[in-house]
Amino acid sequence: MRILIAEDDFASRKVILKFLSLYGECDVTVDGMEAIDAFMMALEEDEPYDLICLDVMMPIMDGYQALKNIRDIEKEHNIPDDKQTKIIMTTALNEEKNVKKAFELGCTVYCAKPIDMDKLKSTIEKLELI
């Protein structure tokens, strides 16, 4: 499994990377713009990501903007819905409006911080990635 972790907080990034490295090859970015660049490179190399963990609050471009851009790129490349990258939004923003916005933009799962690794593993299993 190919995984992209987009997280600006060092501690969160380290914990997520250590955990997800057990299940696949991980790339790491620290803002939404880098995440989009990594996503495009993976598509161009014909090795798309299976999973993206996308933080909402990041510098330069936030997770919502990155999510929208990624979904738009998938549409431009005629990637069918069932073949789209699974995207887990990770954030401390747990208000209903934030959750709703993430799903409207196309996230697969919304995961509150601090991240419960057992729940994350269960989520990845439900997505049939492991």
Side-chain angles (χ1 to χ4, degrees):
M1 171 169 53
R2 285 203 74 208
I3 304 164
L4 176 62
I5 300 164
E7 170 64 64
D8 67 319
D9 178 71
F10 178 78
S12 295
R13 190 169 58 240
K14 190 171 179 178
V15 169
I16 295 168
L17 176 61
K18 184 177 180 182
F19 178 76
L20 289 177
S21 292
L22 300 171
Y23 302 104
E25 173 192 335
C26 297
D27 293 329
V28 178
T29 61
V30 296
D31 64 58
M33 189 63 73
E34 283 186 2
I36 291 168
D37 289 344
F39 180 79
M40 285 295 298
M41 284 176 47
L43 274 184
E44 289 167 8
E45 294 167 0
D46 202 27
E47 293 183 11
Y49 290 104
D50 302 295
L51 175 67
I52 299 175
C53 287
L54 192 58
D55 183 24
V56 171
M57 296 186 294
M58 293 185 291
I60 302 175
M61 178 184 287
D62 70 24
Y64 295 128
Q65 294 168 306
L67 172 62
K68 182 181 182 334
N69 276 278
I70 288 167
R71 292 305 188 212
D72 287 347
I73 291 165
E74 287 176 326
K75 284 183 183 128
E76 289 169 13
H77 285 81
N78 298 313
I79 297 171
D81 292 350
D82 64 326
K83 299 289 185 201
Q84 288 184 347
T85 301
K86 306 293 188 246
I87 299 179
I88 299 175
M89 300 297 285
T90 60
T91 184
L93 301 174
N94 296 323
E95 292 119 16
E96 184 179 341
K97 68 178 183 173
N98 298 86
V99 177
K100 186 176 179 186
K101 180 177 182 177
F103 281 105
E104 286 172 354
L105 291 172
C107 87
T108 312
V109 177
Y110 196 92
C111 189
K113 288 182 181 177
I115 296 173
D116 178 323
M117 293 304 158
D118 290 333
K119 282 186 181 177
L120 182 57
K121 181 180 180 190
S122 172
T123 297
I124 296 169
E125 287 171 347
K126 286 178 187 169
L127 294 174
E128 299 180 352
L129 294 173
I130 58 171

